[in-house]
Amino acid sequence: MPMAIQIYDRASKKENHLVDRYGRVATKLRISVTDRCNMQCVYCMPRGNDKWFEDRDVLTFPQIIRLGQIFAGLGIEKIRITGGEPTLRKDIERLVGALSKISRIKSVSMTTNGLLLSSKVNQLKDAGLGGVNISLDTFKPDRFKAMTGLPHLDRVKRSIDAALDAGLEVKINTVVIRGWNDDEVVDFAKFAHDTGITVRFIEFMPLDGSGIWSHDLVFSKREMIAKIEESLGRLEPSESKSKDATYAPAKLYSIKGSGTVGFIPSITEPFCNNCDRIRITANGYFMTCLFENPGYHIKPMLDSDRSDSEIREHILQMIEKKPEGIAGIIRTKSLRPALNMMNRIGG
Ligand code: SAM
Ligand code: SF4
């Protein structure tokens, strides 16, 4: 039996909570609203990808809202909207508004590449969006084009400013790949120091869709910390901030003087024991784990006349089967490039 810390007392397992067989409780839901994207990041989807879900296969807003309500009744408190690129979904602010009005949902946030964000940020904020994670992997224009396929670094920078001006909580997500951008971790830490914006460094995961992932490309949390400390002095682990659900699952560190950086060491220090998240893909698969493939197709239940309680029952049965996660895959040495694309899952 794989090892996992029991963080929930199964004897006192409450009804209507998403508790899996290891005792982990899901309280956060990531909803991918589209697999489409206006960038082609090297670590996320194959270059030239033009295979998108058919419109008829994508969850409608009423279906997403219904799922949001069902999941809120099962203990979900926080929803993150993702994609593909969520700002490409028409009227996305309407969805944000509806999800943030669901009772028991404490926050609705979004992960975005920032290309279109500046033009929509005020509507999103007015609709109830609490925060944005903006993905940015380099400050170098040429490298930005090499990593994303587009020459629009300035647009992303503008969106960061616009999101701050709108009063949103802003974090930066930076995927670090050896040989691509590991030489910029210090620049990103300086950016965190100078601006007060938290930068979360993410280890490269084998979900790139083109099979380029290899262990050698993973620039580890330990290596990142060593590089940053060489230039900026000791990073102080911040237990209190790491416990703050806003930053999870990042491990947070304070920079000497000011600023905070976080690390999401999915490969070298997997945090499956404490996993509290579940996912819905744009085409209506329920994924109890990021490394589950393909998950459980629940859109057919929404398309048919199945009742909320039938759907809820089904979800409770699926969560029970949630796998241990990447920790177990690594332990059994079966981690290898996966052709599952992150743009289809939502990160
Ligand atoms: N398009 C939006 C964006 O880029 O922020 C949202 C979707 S994207 C799939 C969500 C997050 O997953 C981004 O922060 C992205 O950097 C991250 N990501 C994508 N592929 C990854 C991979 N192979 N390993 C680690 N993180 C990845
Ligand atoms: Fe698009 Fe985001 Fe994937 Fe980049 S990481 S290709 S922006 S979905």
Side-chain angles (χ1 to χ4, degrees), residues 49-270:
N49 175 51
D50 59 0
K51 290 193 202 94
W52 310 114
F53 297 145
E54 297 289 340
D55 285 351
R56 64 169 180 275
D57 294 329
V58 171
L59 291 176
T60 62
F61 280 2
Q63 288 178 329
I64 295 174
I65 295 160
R66 186 174 169 204
L67 279 178
Q69 287 161 340
I70 293 172
F71 276 110
L74 289 169
I76 289 295
E77 297 176 346
K78 291 175 173 241
I79 294 179
R80 175 167 295 277
I81 296 175
T82 174
E85 177 45 40
T87 56
L88 287 178
R89 183 88 189 241
K90 191 166 175 293
D91 297 330
I92 186 67
E93 61 283 358
R94 264 203 308 119
L95 181 67
V96 168
L99 292 174
S100 49
K101 285 189 192 77
I102 296 175
S103 63
R104 287 187 273 197
I105 294 299
K106 294 184 182 157
S107 77
V108 177
S109 53
M110 180 180 282
T111 302
T112 169
N113 63 27
L115 268 193
L116 300 175
L117 182 68
S118 61
S119 60
K120 299 179 191 230
V121 74
N122 290 318
Q123 289 147 281
L124 287 165
K125 166 81 180 161
D126 291 348
L129 194 74
V132 278
N133 288 358
I134 300 179
S135 301
L136 179 64
D137 310 309
T138 175
F139 292 117
K140 299 179 196 276
D142 288 354
R143 187 175 285 177
F144 184 90
K145 182 154 189 288
M147 290 187 82
T148 67
L150 288 177
H152 295 317
L153 173 60
D154 285 346
R155 281 211 223 163
V156 180
K157 286 187 183 164
R158 271 204 298 282
S159 284
I160 295 172
D161 290 339
L164 290 169
D165 289 346
L168 288 174
E169 194 193 342
V170 179
K171 283 173 265 151
I172 302 297
N173 280 355
T174 304
V175 178
V176 184
I177 309 183
R178 189 185 306 281
W180 282 79
N181 62 343
D182 57 286
D183 57 345
E184 286 190 74
V185 290
V186 174
D187 293 339
F188 273 94
K190 282 185 182 152
F191 172 87
H193 173 272
D194 296 348
T195 61
I197 301 174
T198 297
V199 174
R200 305 180 328 150
F201 297 104
I202 307 174
E203 287 180 355
F204 182 24
M205 288 185 272
L207 292 166
D208 53 280
S210 48
I212 64 160
W213 184 90
S214 79
H215 256 297
D216 298 344
L217 293 176
V218 177
F219 196 74
S220 69
K221 170 190 164 199
R222 190 136 44 102
E223 290 173 286
M224 295 185 221
I225 289 181
K227 257 199 176 179
I228 295 170
E229 287 189 335
E230 238 174 67
S231 293
L232 302 184
R234 194 172 141 65
L235 291 176
E236 212 51 62
S238 173
E239 287 300 325
S240 59
K241 282 188 193 157
S242 295
K243 279 195 192 117
D244 181 341
T246 324
Y247 297 99
K251 307 257 182 301
L252 292 186
Y253 290 73
S254 302
I255 304 168
K256 213 169 170 188
S258 71
T260 303
V261 283
F263 300 90
I264 304 186
S266 322
I267 305 293
T268 61
E269 294 172 28

Side-chain angles (χ1 to χ4, degrees), residues 37-41 43-45 83-85 113 135 342-343:
C37 193
N38 44 8
M39 282 189 187
Q40 295 191 339
C41 300
Y43 47 73
C44 179
M45 82 171 135
E85 177 45 40
N113 63 27
S135 301
M342 198 67 124
N343 74 301

Side-chain angles (χ1 to χ4, degrees), residues 313-329:
E313 222 20 70
H314 193 50
I315 289 170
L316 285 169
Q317 283 166 17
M318 292 181 281
I319 196 74
E320 183 75 23
K321 295 187 211 145
K322 175 167 168 145
E324 186 192 0
I326 194 171
I329 303 175

